[in-house]
Amino acid sequence: TEFMNNADFRSLAESENFILVYPQGSELDGFSHWNTSLPGGNNKSNADDFGFIEAIINEISSSYNIDENRIYACGYSNGGMFAYGLANYKSNIFAAVGSVSGTMVDFNGPTNRPMPIIHLHGTSDNVIPYNGNNDYNSTTDVINYWINFNNTISSPIVNSDANNNNTIEHYLYDQGDNNVSVEHYKYIGGGHVWFTAKYQNFNTQELIWNFFSKYDINGLK
């Protein structure tokens, strides 16, 4: 409920006609969590979260007419890490993924096709630092991984927007395989939050949906 209220896609889902799902991670030490890799390794618990998400999709598919070529995942913090886990291990299901104030834990996933990526991160994040630390990979390392994986341009198209004393830089790495792109929004001075500052009058939810809606599982529509 907390995430649904902070990252509220509901009015956007109504206007853009997509099915919106807020799954609940299992509880661990009083908090919900997601496991970002296959069983073992860097996971927090033994919960089969990849299997759980597949079960949710199968359940929804049995009741609603969904477009199985246009299924997307995004998350915040640990949820952003989980979105990258889905990109790595469930690329046969997800057409694109997004991460807000998260990072990627596992750089060895068997992703079998180009994967559109959108990543939003603040430079003053004190939980998952923008420049990384002993526990987390840096945003630059994550972006570079997907640039290389998707075979996009290496020199991005850069734009910026400053409003209400918030400067947001946008980096676009396009022309990848299947015409996929990697997009990064860098919030100067931004903390560990789901961002409320707007970029060119688009909020975080709109930036993510505008990116997702360009792609199906075969790449740029």
Side-chain angles (χ1 to χ4, degrees):
T1 301
E2 179 183 3
F3 182 56
M4 183 169 63
N5 289 330
N6 289 332
D8 193 349
F9 283 83
R10 287 172 288 185
S11 62
L12 192 59
E14 289 295 332
S15 63
E16 296 293 320
N17 196 33
F18 62 86
I19 296 173
L20 178 63
V21 182
Y22 286 91
Q24 174 68 48
S26 54
E27 186 174 309
L28 178 68
D29 299 328
F31 299 94
S32 61
H33 76 288
W34 297 109
N35 289 319
T36 62
S37 300
L38 297 176
N42 294 309
N43 281 340
K44 296 173 177 285
S45 72
N46 293 322
D48 179 13
D49 287 328
F50 292 153
F52 172 52
I53 294 300
E54 282 200 73
I56 288 176
I57 294 171
N58 291 336
E59 177 68 20
I60 295 171
S61 297
S62 69
S63 302
Y64 298 93
N65 182 24
I66 74 169
D67 184 346
E68 294 186 352
N69 289 322
R70 298 184 64 199
I71 301 174
Y72 313 101
C74 69
Y76 160 70
S77 192
N78 177 223
M81 298 179 192
F82 185 47
Y84 277 128
L86 294 171
N88 275 328
Y89 295 102
K90 296 297 176 183
S91 59
N92 60 313
I93 296 175
F94 290 92
V97 303
S99 174
V100 178
S101 301
T103 188
M104 191 162 70
V105 174
D106 187 351
F107 285 80
N108 299 310
T111 314
N112 58 16
R113 62 170 185 80
M115 177 63 67
I117 298 291
I118 181 171
H119 186 112
L120 301 83
H121 215 118
T123 59
S124 296
D125 191 324
N126 61 358
V127 177
I128 302 177
Y130 187 92
N131 293 320
N133 58 17
N134 291 334
D135 297 316
Y136 299 116
N137 292 307
S138 71
T139 297
T140 300
D141 286 343
V142 173
I143 297 299
N144 284 341
Y145 172 86
W146 289 109
I147 290 170
N148 292 328
F149 182 88
N150 289 322
N151 196 29
T152 69
I153 60 172
S154 57
S155 297
I157 300 168
V158 183
N159 288 287
S160 65
D161 185 24
N163 60 75
N164 298 322
N165 297 319
N166 294 295
T167 298
I168 305 169
E169 297 175 352
H170 175 229
Y171 298 80
L172 169 62
Y173 303 84
D174 61 2
Q175 301 177 40
D177 296 339
N178 288 1
N179 289 317
V180 308
S181 63
V182 176
E183 294 197 28
H184 172 42
Y185 290 88
K186 183 178 183 179
Y187 292 72
I188 308 302
H192 190 71
V193 296
W194 181 275
F195 300 104
T196 57
K198 291 185 176 182
Y199 177 82
Q200 296 183 356
N201 293 321
F202 294 108
N203 64 26
T204 295
Q205 296 89 299
E206 291 167 328
L207 292 175
I208 292 172
W209 174 248
N210 290 344
F211 179 79
F212 282 174
S213 61
K214 294 186 296 185
Y215 297 99
D216 62 22
I217 204 161
N218 298 308
L220 193 67
K221 291 193 300 177

